[in-house]
Amino acid sequence: MLSADELITEISGKSGKNPDEIKKMIKDKQRELSDLVSEEGAAYIVGRELGVELIKDTKRELKVANIVPEMRNVDIVARIASIFEPREFNKNGKKGMVSSIILSDESGTIRLPLWNDEVSLIASNGLKQNDLIEVSGAWAKKDTYRDGVELRLGKRGRIKKLEDGPAPEPDLPHSEDYPVPPKEAKRMDISMLSPGLNAIVKGCLLQVYRKRPFFESCSQCGGRVEEKDGIFTCKEHGQVEPKYNLLLSGVIDDGTGNLRVVFFREQAEKLFGKPVEEVKAEFTEKGQDAFWDGFTGIGKELLVEGRIKSNELTKEMEILCNNVEEVNTREEIKRLLSEVGQ
Ligand SMILES: [Zn+2]
C-alpha cells in the first residue's frame, strides 16, 4: 500500500488539484468519519471521490458466469457458440428484427440478442460460429424467459472480432440450457458485485465497527446460544458452556466502491493477530474504546474472498469472508510482472 504522501502526490497529479488542497480534503474526510480511518484510508476515499484510480488491478477479466443483471459497461471476450438466424417479429403493430448470439467461455454461456439495426453487425463484422469476439460497453439484464441473464448492446455497446487465439475447447458448454459450472471466486471490483457471487475483492480496510469483538456459541454444535443471567442455552443441547468466537466487521474500499465485510473466527484472528482468548481478555481489561484504539488493521490492504449477500436488516451488500490475506506488495508485483510476461 502506498504511503499517505505518495497517495497525495498521485491524487494531485491525476486530479490537477494542488497537494495542500488534497491534504485538507483528507483531513476533512477523516473528521467526517469521526477519525475512524487512517490518513491513507481517507486518501483512498478522497481519490475515489475525485475519480482518481489508486488501486490498480491490471487484469479485469470478466467471465460469463459472473455477469449479473443490472451490470453496466460489461466488457467481455468470449467465443460465439452459435448464431441464430434473424427473424422478424411484430410487437404492438410494429415490425422488428431480432437475432441472437450465444457467447461462451469456460465459465458458461450467455445470450446476446441483437435488435433491429444491431442485426446487421453480424454481417458487417463477418461473424460466424467459433469466432472470438470482444463485446464492450454492453449491459446485462434479467432474462425473464429463461430465469437467467442476458447481454444487451444498447447505444454504447460494441462488438469487435478478435484475431483468433487457441482453438476452442471441445467440451465447452455450448447449449444455453447447459448448467453453468460451479462458480469459482474471481477477482472483482466492488462496483461489479451482486448478491450470490463468490468473489475476491482487493481493498483497503477503511473502518471497523467498534463493537464487542466476539460472540458465544454452543460448545457442542457450534450453533446459536441464548444468554440469560449468565447461563447459556442451546436449543439442541440445553444448558452449555459457551464457546467464544471472534467477530470483526468493517468496511473495505477498492476505489470503485465500498463494501461491508464480516470476518469470523480464524479470519478475524488473522486481523487481530491473536486468538479469541487474548482478544477477549484484552477487551474485558481495556474496555471498548481503548481496545479499538489499539487495533492496527485500519488502512491495511486486504484480499478478501467470500460470498456476497444482502444484509437482512439494511439490505446493503456485504461479503462474508472465508479467507483473508494481507496484500504482500512484493508478491503482488511479482504476480503482475508474470502476467505481462516478464
Ligand atoms: Zn448445541
Side-chain angles (χ1 to χ4, degrees), residues 84-292:
F84 287 85
E85 284 291 312
R87 62 177 175 81
E88 266 185 31
F89 66 90
N90 224 313
K91 197 184 174 189
N92 307 327
K94 275 179 84 179
K95 271 192 180 174
M97 190 73 112
V98 64
S99 178
S100 284
I101 293 179
I102 306 297
L103 293 169
S104 151
D105 67 14
E106 70 273 21
S107 72
T109 62
I110 191 166
R111 176 186 289 264
L112 169 66
L114 299 173
W115 302 93
N116 304 318
D117 294 347
E118 293 170 7
V119 174
S120 65
L121 292 170
I122 296 172
S124 63
N125 286 286
L127 302 182
K128 55 185 189 322
Q129 197 176 18
N130 273 340
D131 280 349
L132 194 64
I133 64 169
E134 179 177 27
V135 177
S136 55
W139 61 286
K141 76 182 283 283
K142 201 170 162 99
D143 178 351
T144 39
Y145 288 108
R146 293 167 200 85
D147 194 29
V149 56
E150 65 180 33
L151 269 183
R152 291 294 176 88
L153 277 186
K155 283 200 189 84
R156 295 194 295 154
R158 299 278 176 275
I159 294 181
K160 194 174 130 196
K161 188 168 165 172
L162 301 178
E163 286 300 312
D164 207 3
E169 296 293 327
D171 58 352
L172 281 179
H174 279 292
S175 158
E176 59 197 302
D177 303 313
Y178 205 91
V180 175
K183 287 175 192 170
E184 210 184 288
K186 292 265 153 59
R187 179 88 77 90
M188 290 185 84
D189 288 350
I190 288 177
S191 63
M192 293 167 75
L193 297 175
S194 62
L197 287 176
N198 285 314
I200 302 172
V201 169
K202 186 171 94 172
C204 172
L205 184 65
L206 290 184
Q207 204 199 117
V208 287
Y209 297 102
R210 294 161 72 107
K211 298 185 297 194
R212 202 166 83 125
F214 54 88
F215 65 99
E216 294 87 3
S217 68
C218 170
S219 49
Q220 292 186 51
C221 67
R224 189 190 290 251
V225 285
E226 302 264 341
E227 195 232 309
K228 210 186 161 206
D229 304 326
I231 291 170
F232 294 88
T233 326
C234 167
K235 266 199 181 134
E236 268 307 280
H237 299 100
Q239 190 181 330
V240 286
E241 272 301 306
K243 178 181 186 296
Y244 291 93
N245 312 275
L246 285 173
L247 168 67
L248 171 64
S249 63
V251 176
I252 52 169
D253 189 300
D254 71 352
T256 72
N258 57 52
L259 181 68
R260 194 177 123 101
V261 55
V262 188
F263 305 97
F264 290 111
R265 305 187 173 89
E266 298 82 14
Q267 305 315 319
E269 185 174 332
K270 290 184 198 169
L271 293 169
F272 285 121
K274 52 193 104 169
V276 63
E277 299 75 32
E278 284 178 39
V279 170
K280 186 168 167 278
E282 197 184 319
F283 185 79
T284 313
E285 185 202 315
K286 288 186 175 171
Q288 185 151 307
D289 280 340
F291 173 84
W292 286 112

